[in-house]
Amino acid sequence: MGVPTLGCTCEVCTSADPHDRRLRPSVLLRWNEAVPAGVRERVVVIDTGPDFREQALRNGLSHIDAVFYTHSHADHIMGLDDLRPLSFLTFRENGLIPLYATSETRAALERIFDYTFSPDATYPNRAKVELKPLAERTSVHGVEFARVPIMHGRMKIAGFRFGRVAYLTDVSSIPEASFALLEGLDHLVISALRHKPHPTHATVEQAVAWAQRIGARNTWFTHIAHELGHEQTNRTLPPGIALAYDGLTLPVDLGPVNV
Ligand SMILES: [Zn+2]
Ligand SMILES: [Zn+2]
């Protein structure tokens, strides 16, 4: 819901700590690719939620090479239309921006953004994007993205492993087979909504238990509800585990996924 949560006057929603102001979750990856003409900055985004525009402004985005979608809930897709100006800028050189999504997510995107994706759409200035199937492994300009199946309530959704990093948001359970894709991580980013159980999201306690089993060097909690104050919660977490926050920037190893 974002923090402050609309209509709420709780301690976290009225906190003066900037870490307690949370836009909807997303990840931006940037790297330099060697090309014949020199070096090109490559940019991949995971999910375009309702705050995508503000996040793109804060991070000075001027182009995007690809988007990966975790699932089709509003807090992960509703910024899709704001890809339009970026796609117009880069279309001539780079063509349509590929949007990688499972068949379930694709069906929802096609329905919700029918004016973008329908062959019958007449809207002239639609985003220059194209939906692509999400394979087990997808390579984007030399960086490999492995799909990590996870459960969000009864929905099977996509987590991602890239280099020595994994991003698992909106997780309520992790299938046993997916743990093999989570070995040797420097950074695990995983959702932890609050302490009280929720039907489709992990609690802090569940996320801590998974983090300890996975054993990443660093674990960052994301998709955090207003029940969790930044400082107060961090004081209670085991070493190597902390709440992420808007603007958190990490240098990461994007080498091949060897699992
Ligand atoms: Zn609140
Ligand atoms: Zn969500």
Side-chain angles (χ1 to χ4, degrees), residues 25 71 73 75-76 152 169-170 201 223:
H71 66 300
H73 285 163
D75 51 330
H76 300 264
H152 181 33
T169 191
D170 294 63
H201 289 277
H223 211 293

Side-chain angles (χ1 to χ4, degrees), residues 26-31 33 40-49 51-69 76-77 79-100 127-130 132 140-141 145:
S26 178
V27 167
L28 166 65
L29 276 166
R30 283 177 159 139
W31 69 94
E33 182 189 23
R40 255 315 152 73
E41 184 191 61
R42 299 301 181 189
V43 177
V44 164
V45 167
I46 303 179
D47 289 335
T48 54
D51 298 315
F52 170 69
R53 179 174 175 277
E54 177 62 24
Q55 290 160 329
L57 289 169
R58 287 186 191 180
N59 290 284
L61 279 201
S62 57
H63 74 281
I64 286 191
D65 292 287
V67 179
F68 285 87
Y69 283 100
H76 300 264
I77 66 165
L80 186 149
D81 202 66
D82 287 319
L83 291 169
R84 289 194 306 139
L86 296 174
S87 75
F88 301 155
L89 280 176
T90 57
F91 176 65
R92 257 186 218 184
E93 198 185 335
N94 299 323
L96 302 170
I97 300 176
L99 312 180
Y100 295 99
K128 302 220 173 276
V129 296
E130 64 179 328
K132 299 252 203 177
V140 178
H141 295 289
F145 293 78

Side-chain angles (χ1 to χ4, degrees), residues 3-5 8-14 226-227:
V3 181
T5 296
C8 186
T9 55
C10 79
E11 202 184 322
V12 178
C13 287
T14 55
H226 64 150
E227 285 91 342

